[in-house]
Amino acid sequence: AIKEAKGLLTVAAVRAGVTYWTIWKYSKDYPSVAKAIEESKEGLLDLAEAKLYQEINSGNMTAIIFYLKTQGKKRGYIERVEQTGIDGAPIKHENQVNFSLNIKDVERTILIANDLDIKPEMVGEIENSPNTPLLPSHTDS
């Protein structure tokens, strides 16, 4: 039934007089059933490819374009959308924040946070507070 149904489990179940779930469970419990399903689906895929090739040979432009888009990517037959700002510039967002990190500053912040047993994001708040006692320096010597 699986082979006749080309791997379509619902159709195979009807032909075999069982439920879809019975075939599905058998496919999990019996490797031979899983293999029959896989081979049947591969056969259906081969049939679909053969039909596609027939359409390509007959000059069907849709089939030709489809084939090139899916199989001709390495030759440049691919569609992609490139998103840029005006005249190719980067896209600017209203709330875009530009920042750069100095690895030494990051390391220093982490060391201070560890010394004080606080979260690293709190170091900036403490450093900018007017009543801040001196923090460990952790500078390069």
Side-chain angles (χ1 to χ4, degrees):
I2 291 169
K3 288 179 183 177
E4 289 174 9
K6 307 281 191 243
L8 302 172
L9 299 190
T10 303
V11 175
V14 170
R15 290 186 179 180
V18 297
T19 67
Y20 167 89
W21 294 110
T22 299
I23 292 183
W24 181 85
K25 183 174 177 352
Y26 272 47
S27 74
K28 302 299 176 205
D29 295 341
Y30 300 98
S32 60
V33 175
K35 185 177 179 183
I37 293 169
E38 182 64 29
E39 287 176 354
S40 297
K41 287 183 176 183
E42 286 296 320
L44 185 57
L45 182 58
D46 288 344
L47 175 62
E49 284 181 336
K51 295 291 185 181
L52 176 62
Y53 296 148
Q54 287 175 352
E55 289 299 311
I56 290 169
N57 285 331
S58 71
N60 181 323
M61 194 54 68
T62 302
I64 293 168
I65 292 169
F66 173 79
Y67 185 82
L68 289 173
K69 283 183 181 181
T70 59
Q71 301 300 311
K73 291 178 183 178
K74 65 183 175 191
R75 294 185 180 181
Y77 293 99
I78 185 168
E79 284 186 21
R80 64 178 169 204
V81 176
E82 295 184 12
Q83 297 180 346
T84 64
I86 297 171
D87 296 325
I91 297 174
K92 295 208 179 208
H93 297 281
E94 261 183 49
N95 298 326
Q96 185 172 353
V97 176
N98 292 321
F99 66 92
S100 62
L101 293 176
N102 178 321
I103 193 67
K104 298 263 186 228
D105 291 340
V106 173
E107 289 172 345
R108 179 182 165 278
T109 299
I110 291 170
L111 289 170
I112 292 171
N114 287 340
D115 284 348
L116 299 176
D117 196 26
I118 61 173
K119 294 179 179 178
E121 56 267 23
M122 294 177 66
V123 171
E125 294 174 25
I126 292 171
E127 287 180 324
N128 295 328
S129 171
N131 300 323
T132 300
L134 289 176
L135 296 177
S137 64
H138 293 290
T139 58
D140 290 338
S141 349

